[in-house]
Amino acid sequence: MHDDRSLVEARLKRVLDERIRPAVYPESVPLQVAVWNAPGEPVPVAEGLAASPGPIAVGDMWGAPWGTSWFTVTGTVPAEWAGRTVEAILDLGFDENMPGFQCEGLVYRPDGTPVKGLNPRNQWVRIGSPVEGGEAVRLHIEAASNPVILDYRPFRPTRLGDKETAGTEPQYTLARMDLAVFDETVWQLVLDLEVLGELMHELPVEGARRWDILRAVGHALDAIDLQDVNGSAAAARSRLEEVLSTPAAPSAHRISAVGHAHIDTAWLWPLRETVRKVARTTANMTALLEDEPDFIYTMSQAQQFAWIKEHRPEVYAKVKEAVAEGRFVPAGGMWVESDTNMPGSEAMARQFVHGKRFFLDEFGIENDEAWLPDTFGFAAGLPQIIKAAGSKWLLTQKISWSQTNKFPHHTFQWEGIDGTRIFTHFPPVDTYNCSMRGSEIAHAEKNFKDKGVATHSLAPTGWGDGGGGTTREMVAKAARMRSLEGSATVRWETPADFFSKAEAEYLNPPVWVGELYLELHRATLTSQAKTKQGNRRSESLLREAELWAATAAVRTGFPYPYEQLDRIWKTVLLHQFHDILPGSSIAWVHREAEKTYVALAGELDGIIDAAQRALAGDGSSTLAFNAAPHQRHGVPAGGAAVATGGDPARLIPREGGGFILDNGLLQVEIDGRGLIVSAYDIAAERETVAPGQAANLLQIHPDFPNMWDAWDVDEFYRNTVTDLTRADEVTPVAGEASAGVRVVRSFGDSKVTQLLTLAAGTKRLDIDTEVDWHETEKFLKASFPLDVHAERYASETQFGHFHRATHTNTSWEAAKFEACNHRFVHIEEPGWGVALVNDSTYGHDMTRTVRAADSGTTTTLRVSLLRAPRFPDPETDQGVHRFRHALVPGAAIGDAVREGFRINLPERRVAGGAEVAPLVTVDNDAVVVSAVKLADDASGDVVVRLYESHGGRARARLTPGFEVAAAVATDLLERPLADAPTPELADGAVKLSLRPFELVTLRLARSRA
């Protein structure tokens, strides 16, 4: 037989595009349209419906950037359409290739009832099926004219990312406002041909199934009368019945389709617009659930449910009804789909506490899965947190974006730093926006790495990022692939159904130990420094507020601010979303975040001050309150006392220029360039700085990645570097018990002022840095070349630390050229180490070289300070920034932990009359208390969370400073653990025995006698 395959395939494409798809709506009449443009921010629905609209016509421009227009469309169904299905086609000027990234709308009835959302892939509203003819139609559309930020020429700087700079020119052309007859037979034919045509392209040319489909498609096209598609569609469909009904092979890959719309809580739109995106999408999905009995939809992020509840109660009522039916499934159990690299220990725990508690309170549902399809890599401490929250599974997809190494599994056990393992799945479909195209389904099957031992994978199905969700076309395609020869089988299932089946069939999956590092988006550890600083500061203030409010409540009856702390926590958690904290959102988002963090700091400082004053009482002594988990300056952890000082440090002029700082423990030489050329540990007789090198060396690199400007730094940035060695000023600064040197440097259009200080009684050099930053597409780092030989180093992560290699033996290690730390980075060789601690930075890199002169090893740690990408915010990081770091020579890992807390939790001074004893004490510094608070249920119980911080086994006694009636081990939600032994309470203390990095939450019931 002659090969006519290309001929038939080309015929299918043209006939579908030019004749069959247009025949879905064979008849139409125009609707009348009027518009009212809201003068500022979005208005309440009642106000929009009551406004007086003015004239507008199809073809007219509308929509200033970030504006809201209320369209009113009216018309009458023609009498001759009686008995037929009629829909309104409402095209606001959509580009169908940009669902979620441009204008959108929510349709209302005149009484304010929401109908469904409008987006580029969902432009229809059902009027009736069948209609009687003559019906009056009146609909209102709340249309958002969101500008297109990520266009066909992506990553170009734009001022559209902030309403203050976006201008007022209309952006969209009103395209179509019609009533139309909907021919379902033709629509079904379109989907028959799309599914078969897409499948056909994925099958081997040598296989019989491809040719069976080709011949069936050709016969169907023969049956189409191109002058009467509607009259001949049924005949064409009949010629496809056999090829569509041939069942899949028993060995076919099994896909659990989960209706989904990954809605970024903020990204290329502000938070307020996400509220409306969620309403539009959920209105669409509840309507689709009513129409499609097999369909199941899932939505994560408790914050988004809370927004609908507050702002669109009519939509929320339908959501609750669908949730009760088990078809609208809350997923993930987190407040938002957060970044997981940068949130601190408690914040990461509270993401699950607040998310799971919302789903329990609202729906009576507890999630077993964590759902994070788009998060930019996963910290090694996360498995333990997931388990401590009462969950056991994790789903993500983003690791498939890695540039260098292909992850070897799709289903596996992920082991965290404490040994906890979480059953984890990466969908092989490689997208969280699956649209049920044949190419996607075929890719999932071909790509699946666990063939032979597993058969299941999951496909999150629906338009996402900016919302939209699953369409009726996707549901129809899935129905055809339920069992179709040559294709994977597709079933709508809940995440829990998928995970249960996958876990049951894969009894011994492979294990991946340590972080799930994304080999992409590494610069999100640095972009938008003020957002990151606001997050870190908020986390620290929340620790203090809970600690001192709980202490004051137990000791003095101080009213514990449950509701205020709950609200503040949720606001901080919201801003940890994976495009806010990473710094990859538009200018509007980060401008608002900065204001929000300032307001939260004011509130938290107020709580802390009121609680401390209640504790300090009357008196003229100056009490130092220490919120850190370790004693310092004679002040106990979690308590307050009169602070004591040590011998002052000395400031000595240095021969050849510069100064020497010496406090008897550490001697630091700062040369005439203002660089650290020596940091000598006196007791250990050990030099910190590598021979011939200088530490605290500021370095500038060009920073223009190939794409994803705010997200990415590409390795070639290292090829060009400028060392900032010229100083404008190097001057001594004397303190009461400290000595310091002030260094000022100018470069480009920017200026750096640093204060290097050595205090009495500490083996720590404090480095305070102020940068007035006005560079563009540059990367600023501070370099510390250390005379340390080590094959690995430690970075703090949630509830512990994680080791990474200093070498690049493999491509996996080489790819980690920018990595995340929390409060410290620590590097050591046996018997001696160095820590660098910080108050607000996260990104760093580590390299090693061997010196020719003495064959010694120089291990260079560089901390990332600032970037200046121009997309999506063209003014990223411009302005004044302040950072605090400290270099700690001779540090063991415990010193790194202690100094990391110290720099983030400075002492507070309050006038008062007596020492304040800690609410709880722990007798082992390796066991760190991460939170002290009152139980969320307002019972008055005290909750203490702690963990082993050194990476070894630890025994400790936790002694409450109050009478305890009972001690119970709980999960993160403060519920007793069914399988945990009752903590041993003896002589007023709880005895603890912890594994390396083990996390423990204790609930202490207070005696009421």
Side-chain angles (χ1 to χ4, degrees):
M1 179 179 289
H2 297 297
D3 185 351
D4 61 349
R5 175 173 52 84
S6 298
L7 192 66
V8 176
E9 291 171 356
R11 180 189 182 195
L12 171 62
K13 183 179 186 307
R14 184 177 186 190
V15 174
L16 258 178
D17 288 345
E18 296 185 22
R19 297 301 169 90
I20 302 178
R21 288 195 184 98
V24 171
Y25 293 105
E27 300 176 56
S28 64
V29 296
L31 289 159
Q32 289 73 51
V33 192
V35 67
W36 175 74
N37 298 308
E41 283 294 279
V43 300
V45 173
E47 184 176 342
L49 295 177
S52 299
I56 191 172
V58 168
D60 289 350
M61 297 288 291
W62 71 279
W66 306 114
T68 301
S69 298
W70 283 84
F71 292 96
T72 301
V73 295
T74 56
T76 303
V77 176
E80 59 269 25
W81 289 0
R84 304 171 79 179
T85 298
V86 175
E87 295 181 343
I89 309 301
L90 307 173
D91 184 345
L92 300 173
F94 296 128
D95 178 341
E96 71 169 19
N97 295 314
M98 290 190 174
F101 291 93
Q102 54 169 222
C103 58
E104 300 172 46
L106 182 56
V107 179
Y108 295 89
R109 296 188 180 91
D111 64 0
T113 305
V115 180
K116 68 187 295 286
L118 298 177
N119 64 61
R121 296 296 182 105
N122 212 322
Q123 304 177 22
W124 59 273
V125 175
R126 180 64 57 87
I127 301 300
S129 180
V131 296
E132 296 180 359
E135 292 96 332
V137 175
R138 184 179 184 89
L139 298 171
H140 300 270
I141 308 167
E142 181 190 18
S145 50
N146 301 330
V148 176
I149 306 294
L150 191 66
D151 210 332
Y152 289 101
R153 300 178 68 187
F155 317 122
R156 295 174 66 88
T158 174
R159 297 285 176 179
L160 291 171
D162 196 330
K163 194 172 184 179
E164 295 182 355
T165 60
T168 59
E169 289 298 312
Q171 307 167 92
Y172 296 104
T173 301
L174 199 63
R176 185 179 182 186
M177 295 276 146
D178 288 348
L179 286 178
V181 171
F182 174 70
D183 189 327
E184 184 170 356
T185 302
V186 176
W187 181 79
Q188 296 284 4
L189 176 61
V190 169
L191 293 162
D192 290 344
L193 291 171
E194 284 184 350
V195 166
L196 291 172
E198 290 164 1
L199 173 61
M200 180 170 59
H201 280 284
E202 302 301 325
L203 295 172
V205 174
E206 299 80 10
R209 177 61 171 169
R210 179 159 184 165
W211 291 91
D212 289 344
I213 293 174
L214 185 81
R215 294 297 164 227
V217 166
H219 294 325
L221 295 177
D222 290 341
I224 290 288
D225 182 345
L226 297 181
Q227 278 66 51
D228 184 14
V229 172
N230 301 89
S232 55
R237 290 202 72 203
S238 68
R239 297 192 178 186
L240 299 173
E241 287 177 358
E242 182 177 350
V243 75
L244 281 168
S245 62
T246 307
S251 61
H253 183 66
R254 303 172 188 179
I255 292 178
S256 296
V258 178
H260 187 50
H262 169 70
I263 303 178
D264 285 309
T265 295
W267 180 29
L268 305 180
W269 45 84
L271 289 168
R272 67 88 155 146
E273 191 55 32
T274 312
V275 176
R276 302 201 295 175
K277 284 177 173 287
V278 173
R280 296 175 200 125
T281 297
T282 51
N284 264 351
M285 296 303 96
T286 53
L288 190 60
L289 286 166
E290 292 174 2
D291 294 340
E292 300 289 349
D294 292 333
F295 177 54
I296 292 172
Y297 182 74
T298 192
M299 188 169 93
S300 67
Q301 308 192 72
Q303 173 68 86
Q304 296 188 0
F305 285 85
W307 275 336
I308 317 172
K309 180 181 179 181
E310 178 183 356
H311 297 283
R312 292 293 189 271
E314 302 89 348
V315 176
Y316 191 65
K318 290 188 175 182
V319 168
K320 288 201 76 170
E321 183 180 343
V323 170
E325 295 171 353
R327 299 182 59 216
F328 193 118
V329 182
M334 295 176 68
W335 190 247
V336 296
E337 289 183 12
S338 73
D339 179 79
T340 76
N341 285 313
M342 290 176 282
S345 303
E346 273 305 307
M348 201 72 252
R350 304 299 175 95
Q351 285 286 352
F352 288 91
V353 169
H354 287 283
K356 296 196 85 169
R357 187 168 288 145
F358 182 91
F359 289 158
L360 281 164
D361 291 347
E362 289 293 314
F363 310 120
I365 286 175
E366 176 147 15
N367 301 91
D368 286 326
E369 78 287 338
W371 184 274
L372 292 164
D374 189 29
T375 296
F376 308 155
F378 298 87
L382 188 58
Q384 180 175 206
I385 298 171
I386 293 172
K387 182 179 179 181
S391 297
K392 58 184 180 181
W393 301 317
L394 169 67
L395 178 134
T396 186
Q397 179 270 325
K398 198 71 170 189
I399 299 298
S400 71
W401 286 39
S402 285
Q403 290 178 314
T404 305
N405 297 286
K406 195 76 171 174
F407 198 81
H409 319 296
H410 280 112
T411 306
F412 59 99
Q413 292 279 8
W414 177 29
E415 181 177 317
I417 55 174
D418 73 311
T420 296
R421 292 181 175 181
I422 295 295
F423 189 81
T424 302
H425 181 66
F426 294 169
V429 71
D430 280 349
T431 178
Y432 45 79
N433 296 325
C434 176
S435 62
M436 284 291 142
R437 292 197 309 271
S439 57
E440 294 170 330
I441 303 305
H443 177 75
E445 182 167 15
K446 294 172 185 175
N447 186 42
F448 189 54
K449 293 183 172 62
D450 306 313
K451 298 182 185 78
V453 288
T455 62
H456 286 80
S457 73
L458 185 145
T461 302
W463 300 113
D465 291 314
T470 318
T471 65
R472 62 184 178 183
E473 287 79 12
M474 296 175 195
V475 176
K477 284 188 170 186
R480 286 160 172 79
M481 291 184 284
R482 187 174 180 87
S483 180
L484 180 63
E485 184 187 355
S487 170
T489 64
V490 178
R491 301 282 193 282
W492 295 107
E493 293 187 309
T494 67
D497 287 340
F498 161 75
F499 274 108
S500 295
K501 292 177 181 178
E503 195 170 33
E505 77 167 357
Y506 205 178
L507 298 179
N508 190 28
V511 177
W512 183 270
V513 177
E515 68 182 334
L516 294 170
Y517 180 91
L518 177 64
E519 297 169 356
L520 193 73
H521 294 358
R522 302 168 181 90
T524 58
L525 302 173
T526 306
S527 298
Q528 298 289 359
K530 288 183 179 178
T531 298
K532 292 169 170 58
Q533 290 180 321
N535 173 74
R536 179 77 70 83
R537 181 64 176 145
S538 297
E539 291 178 349
S540 297
L541 288 171
L542 277 161
R543 174 195 176 92
E544 290 190 82
E546 290 183 336
L547 169 65
W548 300 124
T551 305
V554 172
R555 297 275 165 72
T556 73
F558 179 82
Y560 191 82
Y562 292 100
E563 293 183 2
Q564 187 179 12
L565 288 171
D566 179 79
R567 173 177 51 79
I568 292 172
W569 262 119
K570 287 174 179 174
T571 303
V572 172
L573 299 178
L574 164 62
H575 286 81
Q576 291 178 341
F577 178 73
H578 65 252
D579 276 307
I580 303 179
L581 180 54
S584 48
S585 288
I586 55 174
W588 188 344
V589 173
H590 294 289
R591 173 172 55 81
E592 285 191 337
E594 184 177 352
K595 293 179 180 177
T596 297
Y597 285 130
V598 169
L600 294 181
E603 282 195 76
L604 290 167
D605 277 329
I607 294 171
I608 294 164
D609 182 67
Q612 289 179 341
R613 290 185 183 281
L615 288 164
D618 297 329
S620 57
S621 298
T622 299
L623 299 182
F625 279 79
N626 174 22
H630 308 94
Q631 178 178 307
R632 60 185 180 189
H633 301 152
V635 181
V642 177
T644 59
D647 295 333
R650 296 182 300 149
L651 177 68
I652 307 165
R654 177 179 176 272
E655 185 177 345
F659 301 91
I660 298 173
L661 308 178
D662 190 328
N663 67 357
L665 299 173
L666 187 63
Q667 185 182 86
V668 178
E669 292 189 38
I670 300 164
D671 69 6
R673 302 171 298 171
L675 299 175
I676 301 167
V677 292
S678 174
Y680 189 73
D681 180 346
I682 294 172
E685 299 181 337
R686 176 69 185 259
E687 177 58 61
T688 306
V689 181
Q693 300 292 306
N696 192 38
L697 171 65
L698 297 177
Q699 297 180 307
I700 285 271
H701 296 270
D703 185 15
F704 190 63
N706 289 343
M707 57 195 307
W708 298 110
D709 296 39
W711 295 257
D712 283 358
V713 55
D714 289 328
E715 192 172 15
F716 55 72
Y717 87 93
R718 292 177 170 182
N719 297 345
T720 307
V721 61
T722 301
D723 293 342
L724 303 181
T725 58
R726 189 182 66 82
D728 302 340
E729 177 185 330
V730 181
T731 54
V733 177
E736 186 175 316
S738 63
V741 175
R742 184 173 183 266
V743 181
V744 180
R745 306 184 193 280
S746 299
F747 58 95
D749 295 320
S750 303
K751 181 178 179 180
V752 176
T753 302
Q754 289 190 304
L755 182 61
L756 284 65
T757 307
L758 185 63
T762 65
K763 196 158 62 174
R764 177 189 72 242
L765 179 71
D766 291 314
I767 305 169
D768 291 357
T769 303
E770 178 179 290
V771 187
D772 189 4
W773 181 247
H774 297 284
E775 304 307 301
T776 298
E777 294 168 348
K778 297 288 195 299
F779 199 177
L780 178 65
K781 285 184 170 264
S783 176
F784 294 83
L786 307 172
D787 189 11
V788 178
H789 177 83
E791 294 181 357
R792 66 177 192 171
Y793 71 98
S795 298
E796 189 185 34
T797 188
Q798 292 98 1
F799 299 112
H801 56 266
F802 175 67
H803 287 101
R804 298 186 184 92
T806 60
H807 57 76
T808 55
N809 279 1
T810 71
S811 59
W812 293 88
E813 290 144 354
K816 295 184 179 182
F817 59 81
E818 186 79 4
C820 183
N821 62 275
H822 286 192
R823 288 167 289 211
F824 69 79
V825 173
H826 179 256
I827 181 169
E828 68 176 342
E829 57 190 48
W832 195 84
V834 182
L836 188 72
V837 300
N838 73 84
D839 75 338
S840 59
T841 58
Y842 295 91
H844 70 274
D845 68 77
M846 190 79 76
T847 55
R848 69 200 302 263
T849 57
V850 175
R851 302 185 294 268
D854 63 355
S855 296
T857 301
T858 297
T859 305
T860 301
L861 165 64
R862 300 197 308 160
V863 295
S864 304
L865 298 178
L866 289 166
R867 300 183 68 232
R870 299 184 65 208
F871 182 87
D873 176 6
E875 300 295 327
T876 301
D877 282 331
Q878 301 299 298
V880 176
H881 304 270
R882 294 177 177 84
F883 307 98
R884 297 178 66 225
H885 293 81
L887 181 67
V888 191
I893 193 69
D895 300 311
V897 174
R898 183 185 65 252
E899 293 298 333
F901 275 104
R902 179 202 62 81
I903 200 171
N904 283 272
L905 294 164
E907 294 175 351
R908 292 177 182 262
R909 305 294 172 117
V910 177
E915 291 189 1
V916 177
L919 195 58
V920 296
T921 59
V922 178
D923 67 355
N924 185 342
D925 270 1
V927 178
V928 168
V929 174
S930 69
V932 177
K933 59 190 287 293
L934 294 193
D936 291 341
D937 62 6
S939 63
D941 292 353
V942 175
V943 172
V944 181
R945 189 147 33 248
L946 42 80
Y947 66 100
E948 196 288 317
S949 66
H950 292 186
R953 294 186 180 271
R955 293 185 181 275
R957 286 170 57 89
L958 182 142
T959 305
F962 55 92
E963 291 294 324
V964 175
V968 178
T970 74
D971 66 6
L972 294 179
L973 276 70
E974 301 168 8
R975 304 172 299 190
L977 292 171
D979 55 351
T982 301
E984 183 180 349
L985 184 60
D987 300 325
V990 179
K991 292 185 177 181
L992 299 169
S993 179
L994 279 72
R995 303 185 313 274
F997 301 126
E998 183 179 1
L999 164 65
V1000 174
T1001 303
L1002 295 175
R1003 183 172 182 138
L1004 308 176
R1006 293 153 57 192
S1007 295
R1008 305 302 179 186

